[in-house]
Amino acid sequence: MLKPCQIHQSQSAQTLLFPVPAKPLIHGHGSNLASFPVCVRPSIMFPYKKPKRVGRGFINSGKVKAVLSESEKSTRVKAVITVKRTVGGILTNLGLQRGLDDIQDLLGKSLLLELVSADLDPKTGLEKKTIKGYAHRTRIGENGTVEYEADFDISTDFGKVGAILVENEHHKEAFLRDIVLDGFPSGPVTISCRSWVHSKFDNPQKRVFFTNKSYLPSETPSGVRRLRDEDLESLRGNGEGERKSFERIYDYDVYNDLGNPDSSEELKRPVLGGKDHPYPRRCRTGRPRTKTDPLSEERSASVYVPRDEAFSEIKQLTFQAKTVYSGLHALVPSLETVLLDRTLGFPHFRGIDSLFDEGLKMPPTEDQGILKNILPRLIKTVTDANDALQFEIPETMDRDKFFWFRDEEFGRQTLAGLNPCSIQLVTEWPLKSQLDPKVYGPSESVITKELIEREIRGFMTVDEAIKAKKLFILDYHDLLLPYVSKVREIEGTTLYGSRTLFFLTLDGTLRPLAIELTRPPIDGKPQWKQVFTPSWHATGVWLWRLAKAHVLAHDSGYHQLVSHWLRTHCATEPYIIATRRQLSEMHPIYRLLHPHFRYTMEINALAREALINAGGIIESSFSPGKYSLELCADAYDKQWQFDLQALPADLIHRGLAVEDPSAPHGLKLTIEDYPFANDGLVLWDVIKQWVADYVNYYYPDPAQVESDPELQAWWTEIRTVGHADKKDEPWWPVLKTPSDLINIVTTIVWVTSGHHAAVNFGQYTYAGYFPNRPTIARTNMPTEDADEQFRENFFAKPEEALLQCFPSQIQATTVMAVLDILSNHSPDEEYLGEKMEPAWGEDAVINAAFERFNGRLRELEGIVDDRNANKKLRNRCGAGVVPYQLLKPFSEPGVTGKGVPYSISI
């Protein structure tokens, strides 16, 4: 056993007591140091070297100070760097590199900082020399942080600090939360980093962090102009090579990584993006091409996203994050073990109810622990030995077990359900297809005037109903019909083109009138189409229920692929890439948009990995099957316009509103009780006012918008590169004035916050009980060329026919579990307007504007509550009706059916 040594002092040397760890050090745990001292001679361990002069100071080991001559006036400034404690970062990872990093911390050589002056040298016109110093670890915070400190003596002629360069001396990356410079006469200077800093051993280039004060390009302090340009240049990369996980490079690519042709010819998919299949662009990863298809990119276990787009540590450790998607690989095989027949449907409705009452017994596997962590609400321990996948009862079903059966609920959900942005006003009669009749058959609908007038029982004629704006439609006819033949070749599914007509009643509710299902000419058979209506006899009632199941499957597919994925996740990724590539972090518009982009790129990468990929959840469980993303590209080509993503423009385009300066929000709604529009327009106005206050402050002169080179490059890149396949469309807004900028930014903010919340966080509430929103229809209508046996079975047991049409057991349970995940709010969710971004708080005017923004959102909370209590509003209040809260701004964690996050974070 080593014994404490005596201390000897002499003029030549001094022996120190230096504690050496008995086991490898773990950062953040001082108790890991050995409790006994060991004699270490500093001349051996720390050979003395004359301090090297760097800039205005000296660098030495340990606690380093910048030393100035007594003749110079200076200010002593302390830099406190807060590093967030992480599982994957610098605070763990035992081994040789970890040990080297511990020694670096002990030597005070963890992080090298360089202070950059905001001003040029007035004598030379050149940048002033930076002031360098090493930071040393000083404190372990209680909130999961570690603090490092460095001291600087800053001469008075140095001026204000404009930026800080950081070099990470560790072998592992570090997450810097912020740097606070304290000691200036004007008060502390905070630089919010919130970024991963790579190890210098991975990349020798230093990271630059600018102060929180925002600047237009023309107003950039002279001392940091070069750094502003160079930082943007580094983020763009050179478009070559495979991206590495620690990099922060943003570039564009087409969707060529959804298929897996090297695994199977069945998993080959067309490239989305380009002339054949127009589509938004995604982030480039640079992975090599597949061996069997030179157009496709190889898939990998981990998909590159720029480092700062990755999930926070908390999000990684909660079941809403990366483990969710990887966990699907554990869930599906477990279900397949229990449900041996992938095509097996539910034998009776009691079997569906048992998913909520008893659950599905799960086999004991190595993945059981993973599943418990991923699905804590759903995996229940029923005995000491067995677990069950037991679903929570959705609020809709809890309030009214038969809600899904009722036609009034079918109509109500088109206005206040999961997909409230597809309903359109009927403006012309007869209804006609725009498809080629030579290919798809006669274009005119078989929904006749006589049929509609019979259904509304003489209340008015069709012409009068159209004039009075009483007829509405869900029209998936032309989008789906070209896919019918292809989808029907897939075993276990079918497809139609569909139209569903509704009538606006005196109560302000929508009454379903008719469903038309169409099959194009196929296998030598002519076009088939038939109209189904609510009926008063048994056969008609069951045919109507089956027709509704088909339409709901169409609506579910459209919702997931277009209203949700395309309009929010997919269309937003180019905005993020362009913002990073063209707007400096100093730019006020970058800082306005930044919270609206958090985590979206990683969510999208994970979706390409497990949800929208070939053979993934969407393809295996939703109506268009393997053609799902191809259909999504068609919707982008035919329907997507940037200007129509603004809520007011969308409502006007669908005939659900007209401009009226005297009406609230400047719009008169066609359906007064339209919960999505009612709440959405309040939220839209609140967002627009906040954006207007912000933009008008930074652009007091309208000419500044058109003369801002970063801003113009940003908007040009979004239009011509990010959405390259639509670059020549005439509907793109121009960007010349503050008003133009306000409208563009408000649209982006609405899409990432309000629109996404409206179509995402109600998924389990409305589709958790899948008969309400089946994701796939597996059998044809009994009246379409059915064989005699099929007809007999339908007449004998119509309930079985409906259950066979519904998703199979494995399809339903998989989707239900995924929807529970996607409907969850993370514990670290950041809600719109709840917390202020650090850069916004730097300016009193923006600070005050944000406080008004927050106050208006609090008012919206009360408005929603009042509306949900108003019994006159039949689409959001009534017996067994779930109140509409999806656009209520704030929420607690979990599946709550409310809450509007800043960004598309799940």
Side-chain angles (χ1 to χ4, degrees), residues 767-834:
Y769 185 71
F770 72 86
N772 182 57
R773 289 186 67 80
T775 59
I776 196 168
R778 298 190 298 149
T779 58
N780 295 341
M781 292 295 294
T783 52
E784 186 214 334
D785 305 330
D787 60 44
E788 195 60 34
Q789 186 63 49
F790 188 82
R791 278 203 193 90
E792 286 182 11
N793 291 341
F794 167 68
F795 277 94
K797 292 187 176 180
E799 179 183 326
E800 286 187 3
L802 182 60
L803 288 166
Q804 288 171 12
C805 186
F806 281 162
S808 69
Q809 293 189 44
I810 193 165
Q811 288 172 330
T813 50
T814 301
V815 170
M816 288 165 68
V818 171
L819 296 186
D820 180 81
I821 292 164
L822 299 182
S823 301
N824 256 285
H825 286 295
S826 170
D828 70 336
E829 194 77 89
E830 298 180 42
Y831 295 100
L832 185 68
E834 186 175 39

Side-chain angles (χ1 to χ4, degrees), residues 532-585:
F532 303 90
T533 59
S535 182
W536 300 100
H537 61 86
T539 301
V541 166
W542 279 103
L543 286 173
W544 172 249
R545 287 170 183 163
L546 280 164
K548 274 205 304 182
H550 281 274
V551 167
L552 288 167
H554 302 165
D555 193 62
S556 293
Y558 186 88
H559 159 260
Q560 206 64 265
L561 291 167
V562 182
S563 301
H564 185 193
W565 165 256
L566 174 63
R567 292 183 63 177
T568 65
H569 291 260
C570 187
T572 295
E573 187 148 341
Y575 309 152
I576 303 171
I577 299 172
T579 300
R580 285 289 199 169
R581 286 167 54 89
Q582 300 299 342
L583 296 183
S584 166
E585 292 183 10

Side-chain angles (χ1 to χ4, degrees), residues 255-372:
Y255 279 73
N256 60 354
D257 64 339
L258 300 179
N260 191 2
D262 286 351
S263 174
S264 167
E265 179 67 22
E266 282 296 309
L267 297 179
K268 183 178 179 180
R269 296 292 181 269
V271 173
L272 303 185
K275 183 180 178 181
D276 293 338
H277 299 286
Y279 213 58
R281 299 303 188 259
R282 63 165 175 95
C283 182
R284 178 185 178 276
T285 67
R287 290 177 293 187
R289 299 303 173 94
T290 59
K291 297 179 180 63
T292 56
D293 179 15
L295 297 178
S296 296
E297 183 177 279
E298 281 186 0
R299 294 175 60 79
S300 57
S302 178
V303 183
Y304 167 81
V305 293
R307 190 63 187 95
D308 285 340
E309 305 302 329
F311 291 138
S312 71
E313 193 68 20
I314 293 176
K315 199 168 181 68
Q316 283 187 4
L317 294 176
T318 58
F319 57 90
Q320 288 87 353
K322 194 167 187 173
T323 51
V324 166
Y325 293 87
S326 60
L328 293 175
H329 298 297
L331 173 63
V332 175
S334 294
L335 290 172
E336 289 175 340
T337 303
V338 178
L339 307 169
L340 299 177
D341 184 353
R342 292 186 62 88
T343 66
L344 185 65
F346 288 89
H348 39 65
F349 277 92
R350 291 193 308 277
I352 300 174
D353 293 343
S354 70
L355 294 174
F356 305 96
D357 301 333
E358 304 163 16
L360 191 67
K361 299 295 187 297
M362 302 298 288
T365 67
E366 295 179 359
D367 295 326
Q368 206 73 0
I370 298 174
L371 289 174
K372 278 188 176 181

Side-chain angles (χ1 to χ4, degrees), residues 589-603:
I589 300 303
Y590 171 91
R591 285 175 164 159
L592 176 60
L593 288 172
H594 180 255
H596 297 285
F597 296 155
R598 283 192 193 118
Y599 307 139
T600 302
M601 288 182 72
E602 175 134 358
I603 284 289

Side-chain angles (χ1 to χ4, degrees), residues 523-539:
D523 297 332
K525 300 175 184 177
Q527 182 195 68
W528 177 90
K529 62 177 82 171
Q530 186 173 346
V531 179
F532 303 90
T533 59
S535 182
W536 300 100
H537 61 86
T539 301

